[in-house]
Amino acid sequence: MHFETSPDPRARRRENRTPEETERLATKAGLELEDAAAAAIVRWAVGTFGDRLAVTSSMADAVVAHLVSTVRPGVDVLFLNTGYHFAETIGTRDAVASVYDVNVIDLAPTMSVAAQDLAFGKDLWSRDSDRCCALRKVAPLNNAMRDYDAWITGLRRDETPSRAGTPVVSWDADRGKVKVCPIARWSDGDVDAYVARHGILLNPLLMDGYDSIGCRPCTRRVTAGEDSRAGRWSGSSKTECGLHT
């Protein structure tokens, strides 16, 4: 099993590019790779950034982790362990670490759930979900990304209207990193086909009415006809946790 609790600091080779040069690189790649296959986009990212490239995964499935591992065995897969996950999500994380040739890295917030309750009051997620996400998701990812120049995510354009314009490669100005979304153009059918072809691990909650899986208190099952992310922060106008802005 490949599993760590913090990023591996072993000599990650940093290219001598300025932020401006890297932004231009990302913009150019986003245009040139727009119609490229997902595997080709991953090959570009691996060839460009090497071991300063990481994958982020919510552990709803292992599609992107598997896809990248076929090009870059042993790639770092960052998992944000918020302390609020479903048991099924933690189980999927452990299975991914055992089954695939990836290095799963558990990213934890600086405060435990109990410490956060003491500092901000119990169940911050119910009163200020933006602050809760900032503390338990955004800050840990930002800290971890200091060891990388680029990150690969599983964002897809057909998930929500706000993601419809997701580039396959872009400049993440907030973090000063390159963001790669190799399956941005995929449909649900494309994902299903990849899962079937490769026998990809899935979070069991996907078979129990959860189309999008986040933290347990802020996630519910969706009903027929609802958007796939309708079960996230139900009853509020919130659609994103802050990782993708």
Side-chain angles (χ1 to χ4, degrees):
M1 175 183 292
H2 301 287
F3 190 85
E4 297 183 12
T5 56
S6 61
D8 182 356
R10 290 172 296 181
R12 301 185 187 281
R13 182 172 58 87
R14 184 187 293 274
E15 298 289 344
N16 294 320
R17 300 188 190 96
T18 66
E20 293 76 18
E21 289 171 335
T22 308
E23 180 177 3
R24 287 195 294 270
L25 173 73
T27 301
K28 182 172 182 286
L31 294 172
E32 292 180 348
L33 295 171
E34 167 61 23
D35 296 321
I41 297 169
V42 171
R43 285 194 294 271
W44 172 85
V46 169
T48 304
F49 301 106
D51 59 3
R52 293 192 63 83
L53 174 73
V55 175
T56 57
S57 177
S58 66
M59 298 300 168
D61 60 54
V63 169
V64 174
H66 174 269
L67 174 65
V68 180
S69 74
T70 63
V71 179
R72 180 76 177 184
V75 67
D76 288 350
V77 175
L78 310 181
F79 172 68
L80 294 165
N81 193 347
T82 65
Y84 283 118
H85 283 299
F86 292 94
E88 290 87 347
T89 300
I90 299 301
T92 302
R93 175 205 65 185
D94 293 346
V96 168
S98 295
V99 171
Y100 298 112
D101 192 355
V102 298
N103 181 41
V104 174
I105 298 175
D106 223 41
L107 303 180
T110 56
M111 289 188 291
S112 66
V113 170
Q116 181 173 292
D117 285 349
L118 286 174
F120 297 98
K122 185 172 173 56
D123 297 340
L124 178 63
W125 53 267
S126 67
R127 293 174 284 103
D128 190 345
S129 62
D130 287 341
R131 173 172 280 190
C132 190
C133 287
L135 291 169
R136 310 202 73 77
K137 291 185 175 183
V138 179
L141 179 63
N142 290 349
N143 289 337
M145 284 303 298
R146 294 171 184 169
D147 291 316
Y148 306 96
D149 293 332
W151 58 309
I152 293 180
T153 84
L155 289 186
R156 293 185 10 240
R157 294 172 184 171
D158 70 349
E159 290 175 316
T160 64
S162 65
R163 295 182 176 183
T166 298
V168 295
V169 181
S170 61
W171 175 244
D172 180 352
D174 289 340
R175 298 180 178 90
K177 310 293 179 181
V178 175
K179 185 175 182 179
V180 183
C181 304
I183 64 170
R185 293 184 292 109
W186 282 18
S187 65
D188 284 342
D190 294 325
V191 173
D192 291 345
Y194 190 90
V195 168
R197 186 181 313 122
H198 299 285
I200 299 298
L201 285 170
L202 300 176
N203 190 315
L205 294 173
L206 292 175
M207 282 69 79
D208 190 27
Y210 294 87
D211 284 358
S212 180
I213 303 166
C215 291
R216 176 177 39 78
C218 300
T219 306
R220 66 163 174 81
R221 295 176 177 84
V222 299
T223 58
E226 284 190 312
D227 180 88
S228 64
R229 286 178 62 86
R232 304 288 294 277
W233 306 288
S234 182
S236 76
S237 60
K238 182 172 178 173
T239 59
E240 298 285 355
C241 62
L243 296 176
H244 309 289
T245 56

